[in-house]
Amino acid sequence: MDIHEYQAKEILRASGIPVPPGEIATTPDEAVAIAEAYGGTVVVKAQVHSGGRGKAGGVKLAATTSEVREHAENILGMTISGFTVGKVLVTPAEDIDTEAYVGVLIDRKAQAATFIVSAEGGIDIEEVAHSDPDAIHRLTVDPRYGLMRHQAYGLANSLYEDPALVKQAAKIIHQLYAAFTSSGASMIEINPLIVTVAGEVKAIDAKMSLDDSELFRHPALLEYRDLSAEPAAETKAREANLSYVKLDGNVGCCVNGAGLAMATMDLVKYYGGEPANFLDIGGSSDPEKVISALEIITSDSNVKVILINIFGGITRCDDVARGIVEATTRIDIEPPIVIRLTGTNDKEGLAILAEAGFSAFSSMDDVVERGVEMAKAG
Amino acid sequence: MAILVGDDTRLVVQGITGRDGSFHTLQMMEYGTAVVAGVTPGKGGQTFEGPDGAGVPIFNSVDEAVAETGANTSVVYVPPAFAASAIEEAVDAEISLVVAITEGIPVQDMARAHAFARDHGARVLGPNCPGVISPGKAKVGIIPGNIVTPGPVGVISRSGTLTYEAVVHLTNAGVGQTTCVGIGGDTLIGTNFVDVLEAFADDGDTEAIVMIGEIGGTDEQEAAQWVQENLDIPVVGFIAGQTAPPGRRMGHAGAIISGSSGTAEEKMKAFEESGIAVAKRPVDIVGLIQSALSA
């Protein structure tokens, strides 16, 4: 789960990291009121789950009240990478001397949390990684020992030469690791970590993703979920424990397993169709999931045919069949349904479908070819 | 021969009394797997009713199960909140292969569990994987037994159901398998493509390999490089996700650390450049494998 900058900053502040104050505005009036309370120059920052906000014009410096109003009016309602801006963060501007980058994430290869830091922070950090890889320093933290003091100092030494700054940065890196582990994060990024003209090290921007699988341990963090940042159908899918991503085609896909779901979409394309969505009903076998899945697919008015492709493993075909039959009696499904059902308990599943008047294909190519044909005809 | 599981497998099922654990224990026993013990804390002393009146003793801990039954392999169906701990328990009891089926285990839990397994020289397969089956010998996990048949092809996949899709085409065409391995789709998995490729290379009976990948990460690219440098048996590949929307970015850090966006195109190109024949559809794997075997 991605969270907003202002939420990530709350978590960082709570672990002791120096973060400038800031408040959220949803209207230009609110933005002006917050700026007036701070006095002086402020930054107005779009709060969306996307990088590249600055480059998109979603981050502006405002020296006067009228500038605050003007920028807030422009930024609120702006679209950045498909997300509409509904909130801005208003925060006092800092006198920046230098900008560094500090990130920590779960690294697949090292199988542990890994820090990436660079003295050359700012918006072009990926370009730095490309053109000057030596400017990027990495450290993998052994989960059994945690981040050791000398390691935090080692990272801090690669950022600054002044011992006073190194000391502040080492402390921040330690606090960042604590925030990472205690919130069950999969990624936290401070970019930039600045040194002010007065010689203070501060985090003035933050990006953070939480591990969905660990959220059950952190009910307070669930409050950070921003439903406006995801389409309604995806919210419904998440609540039903399904993965759903809407696409632009007209063949609605309902599949078990992410790999098979993607292969089904690829095959729809292969036979000349366009998938309307990615939908994985997951590895469990709950008829209710199938019902939710069909409700979500039919909520997309582009869908001309519903293609169900189930290869039972831990998912049992009889449970899926019961879900399909139950769904067709409980909700009004207009598009025709084509089904492929094979694997664990397929005989029982096929019998349940036959009784309700459905037939099913046994091959994936056949069902996809038929589904694409019907989508084209319909 | 076969890899990971076979005639010597003596299996303990962790979470044997749960809905999925009990269902799949029956399926594994019906397939002929030697299920020697089950573990559910608090239910020690009870017996799990297997097919045809066969009973499996249930223990409170893996330690007891190993001491009493000589179990050497474990399969984990424990719910996500406790699954990493179950894996650590199996490793501590000197189980050499832990197959973790559970989906949705917190990633930071798994970082510790994997480190613990590495220190103890234990192999973890998964988590969030379908397990492993050596046709005619042993099935550990949830891969349906009726879709496999013994033969010369090794199968490795990141996916569960897509593995079944590929395997059923092979079986229908009369192309059998030495072992089919699902390595799992989580961020942190204990056994990667290269680990399984190495095992197949040493197997002796595996004459060709099917490798099924998907978008995200760089495991497939690394496997392709390993194949090119080390393997002298043919490999056929498939990558799912050619039409998938671009994945979620993990900030700048993700791009910096992998140096790659992990698209299907990138992976298919890496396969082709390493001499791996790439199937366009799952069904096309069959023709490519048949010509590889007859070459």
Side-chain angles (χ1 to χ4, degrees), chain B residues 104-174:
Chain B
I105 306 178
V107 178
Q108 294 194 28
D109 290 11
M110 282 314 303
R112 192 181 73 174
H114 285 313
F116 189 67
R118 278 197 301 276
D119 274 2
H120 285 70
R123 172 168 298 294
V124 173
L125 182 63
N128 188 16
C129 81
V132 48
I133 186 164
S134 295
K137 297 187 171 78
K139 155 183 153 106
V140 174
I142 61 175
I143 299 176
N146 61 347
I147 61 169
V148 299
T149 191
V153 176
V155 179
I156 322 168
S157 171
R158 254 169 86 175
S159 158
T161 49
L162 181 55
T163 316
Y164 315 160
E165 184 66 43
V167 168
V168 82
H169 288 304
L170 292 174
T171 296
N172 288 345

Coordinates of all heavy atoms in Angstrom, one line a residue, chain B residues 104-174:
Chain B
G104 N 0.8 -14.6 1.4 CA 0.6 -13.4 2.2 C 1.4 -13.4 3.5 O 1.0 -12.7 4.4
I105 N 2.6 -14.0 3.5 CA 3.4 -13.9 4.7 C 4.2 -12.5 4.7 O 4.7 -12.2 3.6 CB 4.5 -15.0 4.7 CG1 3.8 -16.4 4.6 CG2 5.3 -15.0 6.0 CD1 4.8 -17.6 4.5
P106 N 4.2 -11.8 5.8 CA 4.9 -10.5 5.8 C 6.3 -10.7 5.3 O 7.0 -11.6 5.7 CB 4.8 -10.1 7.3 CG 3.5 -10.7 7.8 CD 3.5 -12.0 7.1
V107 N 6.7 -9.8 4.4 CA 8.0 -9.9 3.8 C 9.2 -9.8 4.8 O 10.2 -10.5 4.7 CB 8.2 -8.8 2.7 CG1 9.6 -8.9 2.1 CG2 7.1 -8.9 1.7
Q108 N 9.0 -8.9 5.8 CA 10.1 -8.8 6.8 C 10.2 -10.1 7.7 O 11.3 -10.4 8.1 CB 10.0 -7.5 7.6 CG 10.2 -6.3 6.7 CD 10.4 -5.0 7.6 OE1 10.8 -5.0 8.7 NE2 10.0 -3.9 7.0
D109 N 9.1 -10.8 7.9 CA 9.2 -12.0 8.6 C 10.0 -13.0 7.8 O 10.8 -13.8 8.3 CB 7.8 -12.7 8.7 CG 6.8 -11.9 9.7 OD1 7.2 -10.8 10.1 OD2 5.8 -12.5 10.0
M110 N 9.8 -13.0 6.4 CA 10.5 -14.0 5.6 C 12.0 -13.6 5.5 O 12.8 -14.5 5.3 CB 9.9 -14.0 4.2 CG 8.6 -14.8 4.1 SD 8.6 -16.5 5.0 CE 10.0 -17.2 4.1
A111 N 12.4 -12.3 5.6 CA 13.8 -12.0 5.5 C 14.5 -12.7 6.7 O 15.6 -13.3 6.5 CB 14.0 -10.5 5.7
R112 N 13.9 -12.7 7.8 CA 14.5 -13.4 9.0 C 14.5 -14.9 8.8 O 15.5 -15.6 9.0 CB 13.9 -13.1 10.3 CG 14.7 -13.5 11.5 CD 14.0 -13.2 12.8 NE 12.9 -14.1 13.0 CZ 12.2 -14.1 14.1 NH1 12.5 -13.2 15.1 NH2 11.2 -14.9 14.3
A113 N 13.4 -15.5 8.3 CA 13.3 -16.9 8.1 C 14.3 -17.4 7.1 O 14.9 -18.5 7.3 CB 11.8 -17.3 7.7
H114 N 14.4 -16.7 6.0 CA 15.4 -17.1 5.0 C 16.8 -17.1 5.5 O 17.6 -17.9 5.2 CB 15.3 -16.2 3.7 CG 14.1 -16.5 2.9 ND1 13.7 -17.8 2.5 CD2 13.2 -15.7 2.3 CE1 12.6 -17.7 1.8 NE2 12.2 -16.4 1.7
A115 N 17.1 -16.0 6.3 CA 18.5 -15.9 6.9 C 18.7 -17.1 7.8 O 19.8 -17.7 7.8 CB 18.6 -14.6 7.6
F116 N 17.7 -17.4 8.6 CA 17.8 -18.6 9.5 C 18.1 -19.9 8.8 O 18.9 -20.7 9.1 CB 16.6 -18.6 10.4 CG 16.6 -19.6 11.5 CD1 17.5 -19.3 12.6 CD2 15.8 -20.7 11.5 CE1 17.5 -20.2 13.7 CE2 15.8 -21.6 12.6 CZ 16.7 -21.3 13.7
A117 N 17.3 -20.1 7.7 CA 17.4 -21.3 6.9 C 18.8 -21.4 6.2 O 19.4 -22.4 6.2 CB 16.3 -21.3 5.8
R118 N 19.3 -20.2 5.7 CA 20.6 -20.2 5.1 C 21.7 -20.6 6.1 O 22.6 -21.4 5.8 CB 21.0 -18.8 4.6 CG 20.4 -18.5 3.2 CD 21.1 -17.3 2.6 NE 21.0 -16.1 3.4 CZ 20.0 -15.2 3.3 NH1 19.0 -15.5 2.5 NH2 20.0 -14.2 4.1
D119 N 21.6 -20.1 7.3 CA 22.6 -20.4 8.4 C 22.6 -21.9 8.7 O 23.6 -22.5 9.2 CB 22.2 -19.6 9.7 CG 22.9 -18.3 9.6 OD1 23.5 -18.0 8.6 OD2 22.7 -17.5 10.6
H120 N 21.4 -22.5 8.6 CA 21.3 -23.9 9.0 C 21.4 -24.9 7.8 O 21.2 -26.1 7.9 CB 19.9 -24.2 9.7 CG 19.9 -23.7 11.1 ND1 19.9 -22.3 11.4 CD2 19.9 -24.3 12.3 CE1 19.9 -22.2 12.7 NE2 19.9 -23.4 13.3
G121 N 21.7 -24.3 6.6 CA 21.9 -25.2 5.5 C 20.6 -25.8 5.0 O 20.6 -26.9 4.3
A122 N 19.4 -25.3 5.4 CA 18.2 -25.8 4.9 C 17.7 -25.1 3.7 O 18.0 -24.0 3.5 CB 17.1 -25.7 6.0
R123 N 16.9 -25.9 2.8 CA 16.4 -25.2 1.7 C 14.9 -24.9 1.9 O 14.1 -25.8 2.4 CB 16.5 -26.2 0.5 CG 15.8 -25.7 -0.8 CD 16.1 -26.4 -2.0 NE 17.5 -26.3 -2.4 CZ 18.1 -25.2 -2.8 NH1 17.4 -24.0 -2.9 NH2 19.4 -25.2 -3.2
V124 N 14.5 -23.7 1.6 CA 13.1 -23.3 1.7 C 12.6 -23.2 0.2 O 13.3 -22.5 -0.6 CB 12.9 -22.0 2.4 CG1 11.4 -21.5 2.3 CG2 13.3 -22.1 3.9
L125 N 11.5 -23.8 -0.1 CA 10.9 -23.6 -1.4 C 9.7 -22.7 -1.2 O 8.8 -23.1 -0.4 CB 10.5 -25.0 -2.0 CG 9.9 -24.9 -3.4 CD1 10.9 -24.4 -4.5 CD2 9.4 -26.3 -3.9
G126 N 9.6 -21.6 -1.9 CA 8.5 -20.7 -1.6 C 9.0 -19.5 -0.7 O 10.2 -19.3 -0.6
P127 N 8.1 -18.9 -0.1 CA 6.6 -19.2 0.1 C 5.8 -18.7 -1.1 O 6.3 -18.3 -2.1 CB 6.3 -18.4 1.3 CG 7.1 -17.2 1.3 CD 8.4 -17.7 0.7
N128 N 4.5 -18.9 -0.9 CA 3.5 -18.6 -1.9 C 3.8 -19.3 -3.2 O 3.9 -18.8 -4.3 CB 3.5 -17.1 -2.2 CG 2.3 -16.6 -3.1 OD1 1.4 -17.4 -3.3 ND2 2.4 -15.5 -3.6
C129 N 4.0 -20.7 -3.0 CA 4.4 -21.5 -4.1 C 3.5 -22.7 -4.1 O 2.8 -23.0 -3.1 CB 5.8 -21.9 -4.1 SG 6.1 -23.3 -3.0
P130 N 3.3 -23.4 -5.3 CA 2.5 -24.6 -5.4 C 3.2 -25.9 -4.9 O 2.6 -26.9 -4.8 CB 2.2 -24.7 -6.9 CG 3.3 -24.1 -7.5 CD 3.9 -23.0 -6.6
G131 N 4.5 -25.8 -4.6 CA 5.2 -26.9 -4.2 C 5.9 -27.7 -5.3 O 6.3 -27.1 -6.3
V132 N 6.2 -29.0 -5.1 CA 7.0 -29.7 -6.0 C 6.4 -31.1 -6.1 O 5.9 -31.7 -5.2 CB 8.5 -29.7 -5.5 CG1 8.5 -30.1 -4.0 CG2 9.4 -30.7 -6.3
I133 N 6.5 -31.7 -7.3 CA 6.1 -33.1 -7.5 C 7.0 -33.8 -8.4 O 7.5 -33.3 -9.5 CB 4.6 -33.1 -8.1 CG1 4.1 -34.5 -8.2 CG2 4.5 -32.4 -9.5 CD1 2.6 -34.6 -8.4
S134 N 7.4 -35.0 -8.0 CA 8.3 -35.9 -8.8 C 7.3 -37.0 -9.3 O 7.0 -37.9 -8.4 CB 9.5 -36.4 -8.0 OG 10.3 -35.3 -7.7
P135 N 6.9 -37.0 -10.5 CA 5.8 -37.9 -10.9 C 6.1 -39.3 -10.6 O 7.2 -39.8 -10.9 CB 5.7 -37.6 -12.4 CG 6.2 -36.2 -12.6 CD 7.2 -36.0 -11.6
G136 N 5.1 -40.0 -10.0 CA 5.3 -41.4 -9.7 C 6.0 -41.6 -8.4 O 6.1 -42.8 -7.9
K137 N 6.6 -40.6 -7.8 CA 7.4 -40.7 -6.6 C 6.8 -40.0 -5.4 O 6.4 -40.6 -4.4 CB 8.8 -40.2 -6.8 CG 9.6 -41.0 -7.9 CD 11.0 -40.6 -7.9 CE 11.9 -41.5 -8.8 NZ 11.7 -41.2 -10.2
A138 N 6.7 -38.7 -5.5 CA 6.2 -37.9 -4.3 C 5.7 -36.6 -4.8 O 6.2 -36.0 -5.7 CB 7.3 -37.7 -3.3
K139 N 4.6 -36.2 -4.1 CA 4.0 -34.9 -4.3 C 4.0 -34.1 -3.0 O 3.4 -34.6 -2.0 CB 2.6 -35.1 -4.8 CG 1.6 -34.0 -4.6 CD 0.2 -34.4 -5.2 CE -0.9 -33.7 -4.4 NZ -1.6 -32.7 -5.2
V140 N 4.6 -32.9 -2.9 CA 4.7 -32.1 -1.7 C 4.1 -30.7 -2.1 O 4.8 -30.0 -2.8 CB 6.1 -32.0 -1.2 CG1 6.1 -31.1 0.0 CG2 6.6 -33.4 -0.8
G141 N 2.9 -30.5 -1.6 CA 2.3 -29.2 -2.0 C 0.9 -29.4 -2.6 O 0.2 -30.3 -2.2
I142 N 0.6 -28.6 -3.6 CA -0.8 -28.6 -4.1 C -0.9 -28.9 -5.6 O -1.9 -28.8 -6.2 CB -1.5 -27.3 -3.8 CG1 -0.7 -26.1 -4.5 CG2 -1.5 -27.0 -2.3 CD1 -1.4 -24.8 -4.3
I143 N 0.3 -29.2 -6.3 CA 0.2 -29.5 -7.7 C -0.7 -30.7 -8.0 O -0.4 -31.8 -7.4 CB 1.6 -29.7 -8.3 CG1 2.4 -28.4 -8.1 CG2 1.5 -30.0 -9.8 CD1 3.9 -28.5 -8.6
P144 N -1.7 -30.6 -8.8 CA -2.6 -31.8 -9.0 C -1.8 -33.0 -9.5 O -1.0 -32.9 -10.5 CB -3.6 -31.3 -10.0 CG -3.6 -29.8 -9.9 CD -2.2 -29.4 -9.6
G145 N -2.0 -34.1 -8.9 CA -1.2 -35.3 -9.2 C -1.6 -35.9 -10.6 O -0.8 -36.5 -11.3
N146 N -2.9 -35.7 -11.0 CA -3.3 -36.3 -12.2 C -2.9 -35.6 -13.5 O -3.1 -36.1 -14.6 CB -4.9 -36.4 -12.2 CG -5.5 -35.0 -12.2 OD1 -4.8 -34.0 -11.9 ND2 -6.8 -35.0 -12.4
I147 N -2.2 -34.5 -13.4 CA -1.7 -33.8 -14.6 C -0.3 -34.1 -15.0 O 0.2 -33.6 -16.0 CB -1.9 -32.2 -14.5 CG1 -1.1 -31.7 -13.4 CG2 -3.4 -31.9 -14.4 CD1 -1.0 -30.1 -13.4
V148 N 0.4 -34.9 -14.1 CA 1.8 -35.1 -14.4 C 2.0 -36.6 -14.7 O 1.2 -37.4 -14.4 CB 2.7 -34.8 -13.2 CG1 2.6 -33.3 -12.8 CG2 2.4 -35.6 -12.0
T149 N 3.1 -36.9 -15.4 CA 3.5 -38.3 -15.7 C 5.0 -38.3 -15.8 O 5.7 -37.4 -16.1 CB 2.8 -38.7 -17.1 OG1 2.9 -40.1 -17.2 CG2 3.4 -38.0 -18.2
P150 N 5.6 -39.5 -15.4 CA 7.0 -39.6 -15.4 C 7.6 -39.4 -16.8 O 7.0 -39.9 -17.7 CB 7.3 -41.0 -14.8 CG 6.0 -41.4 -14.1 CD 4.9 -40.7 -14.9
G151 N 8.8 -38.9 -16.8 CA 9.5 -38.7 -18.1 C 10.7 -37.8 -17.9 O 11.2 -37.6 -16.8
P152 N 11.3 -37.3 -19.1 CA 12.6 -36.7 -19.0 C 12.7 -35.2 -18.9 O 13.8 -34.6 -18.9 CB 13.2 -37.1 -20.4 CG 11.9 -37.0 -21.3 CD 10.8 -37.5 -20.4
V153 N 11.5 -34.5 -18.7 CA 11.6 -33.0 -18.7 C 11.4 -32.4 -17.3 O 10.6 -32.8 -16.5 CB 10.4 -32.5 -19.6 CG1 10.4 -30.9 -19.5 CG2 10.6 -32.9 -21.0
G154 N 12.3 -31.5 -17.0 CA 12.2 -30.8 -15.7 C 11.5 -29.5 -15.9 O 11.6 -28.8 -16.9
V155 N 10.6 -29.1 -15.0 CA 9.8 -27.9 -15.1 C 10.0 -27.0 -13.9 O 10.0 -27.5 -12.8 CB 8.3 -28.3 -15.2 CG1 7.4 -27.0 -15.4 CG2 8.0 -29.2 -16.4
I156 N 10.3 -25.7 -14.2 CA 10.5 -24.7 -13.1 C 9.6 -23.6 -13.4 O 9.6 -23.1 -14.6 CB 11.9 -24.1 -13.1 CG1 12.9 -25.1 -13.4 CG2 12.1 -23.4 -11.8 CD1 14.3 -24.5 -13.6
S157 N 8.9 -23.0 -12.4 CA 8.0 -21.9 -12.7 C 7.8 -21.1 -11.5 O 7.9 -21.5 -10.3 CB 6.6 -22.5 -13.1 OG 5.7 -21.5 -13.2
R158 N 7.6 -19.8 -11.7 CA 7.3 -18.8 -10.6 C 5.9 -18.9 -10.3 O 5.5 -18.4 -9.2 CB 7.6 -17.4 -11.1 CG 8.9 -16.8 -10.5 CD 9.3 -15.6 -11.3 NE 8.6 -14.4 -10.7 CZ 8.9 -13.2 -11.2 NH1 9.8 -13.0 -12.1 NH2 8.3 -12.1 -10.7
S159 N 5.1 -19.4 -11.2 CA 3.6 -19.3 -11.0 C 3.1 -20.7 -10.5 O 3.8 -21.7 -10.6 CB 3.0 -19.0 -12.3 OG 1.6 -19.3 -12.4
G160 N 1.9 -20.7 -10.0 CA 1.2 -22.0 -9.6 C 0.4 -22.5 -10.8 O 0.8 -23.4 -11.5
T161 N -0.7 -21.9 -11.0 CA -1.7 -22.5 -12.0 C -1.1 -22.4 -13.4 O -1.4 -23.3 -14.2 CB -3.0 -21.7 -12.0 OG1 -2.7 -20.3 -12.0 CG2 -3.7 -22.0 -10.7
L162 N -0.2 -21.5 -13.7 CA 0.4 -21.5 -15.1 C 1.3 -22.7 -15.2 O 1.5 -23.2 -16.3 CB 1.1 -20.1 -15.3 CG 1.8 -19.9 -16.6 CD1 0.8 -20.1 -17.8 CD2 2.5 -18.6 -16.7
T163 N 1.9 -23.1 -14.1 CA 2.7 -24.4 -14.2 C 1.8 -25.5 -14.6 O 2.2 -26.3 -15.5 CB 3.3 -24.7 -12.8 OG1 3.8 -23.5 -12.2 CG2 4.4 -25.8 -12.9
Y164 N 0.6 -25.6 -14.0 CA -0.3 -26.7 -14.3 C -0.6 -26.7 -15.8 O -0.7 -27.7 -16.5 CB -1.6 -26.6 -13.5 CG -1.4 -26.4 -12.0 CD1 -2.5 -25.9 -11.3 CD2 -0.2 -26.6 -11.4 CE1 -2.4 -25.6 -9.9 CE2 -0.1 -26.3 -10.0 CZ -1.2 -25.8 -9.3 OH -1.1 -25.5 -8.0
E165 N -0.9 -25.4 -16.3 CA -1.3 -25.2 -17.7 C -0.2 -25.8 -18.6 O -0.5 -26.5 -19.6 CB -1.5 -23.7 -17.9 CG -1.9 -23.3 -19.3 CD -3.3 -23.9 -19.6 OE1 -4.2 -23.8 -18.7 OE2 -3.6 -24.4 -20.7
A166 N 1.1 -25.5 -18.3 CA 2.2 -25.9 -19.1 C 2.3 -27.5 -19.0 O 2.5 -28.2 -20.0 CB 3.5 -25.2 -18.7
V167 N 2.2 -28.0 -17.8 CA 2.5 -29.4 -17.5 C 1.4 -30.3 -18.2 O 1.7 -31.3 -18.8 CB 2.6 -29.7 -16.0 CG1 2.6 -31.1 -15.7 CG2 3.9 -29.0 -15.5
V168 N 0.2 -29.8 -18.1 CA -0.9 -30.6 -18.7 C -0.7 -30.8 -20.2 O -1.0 -31.8 -20.8 CB -2.3 -30.1 -18.3 CG1 -2.7 -28.9 -19.2 CG2 -3.3 -31.2 -18.3
H169 N -0.2 -29.7 -20.9 CA 0.1 -29.8 -22.3 C 1.1 -30.9 -22.6 O 1.1 -31.7 -23.5 CB 0.5 -28.5 -22.9 CG -0.6 -27.5 -23.0 ND1 -1.8 -27.8 -23.7 CD2 -0.8 -26.3 -22.5 CE1 -2.6 -26.7 -23.6 NE2 -2.0 -25.8 -22.9
L170 N 2.2 -30.9 -21.7 CA 3.3 -31.8 -21.9 C 2.7 -33.2 -21.7 O 3.0 -34.1 -22.5 CB 4.4 -31.6 -20.9 CG 5.2 -30.3 -21.0 CD1 6.2 -30.2 -19.8 CD2 6.0 -30.3 -22.3
T171 N 2.0 -33.4 -20.6 CA 1.5 -34.8 -20.3 C 0.5 -35.3 -21.4 O 0.6 -36.4 -21.8 CB 0.7 -34.7 -18.9 OG1 1.7 -34.4 -17.9 CG2 0.1 -36.1 -18.6
N172 N -0.4 -34.4 -21.9 CA -1.3 -34.8 -23.0 C -0.6 -35.2 -24.2 O -1.0 -36.0 -25.0 CB -2.3 -33.7 -23.3 CG -3.3 -33.5 -22.2 OD1 -3.5 -34.3 -21.3 ND2 -4.0 -32.3 -22.2
A173 N 0.6 -34.6 -24.4 CA 1.4 -34.9 -25.6 C 2.3 -36.1 -25.4 O 3.2 -36.5 -26.2 CB 2.2 -33.7 -26.1
G174 N 2.2 -36.7 -24.2 CA 3.1 -37.9 -23.9 C 4.5 -37.5 -23.5 O 5.4 -38.4 -23.5

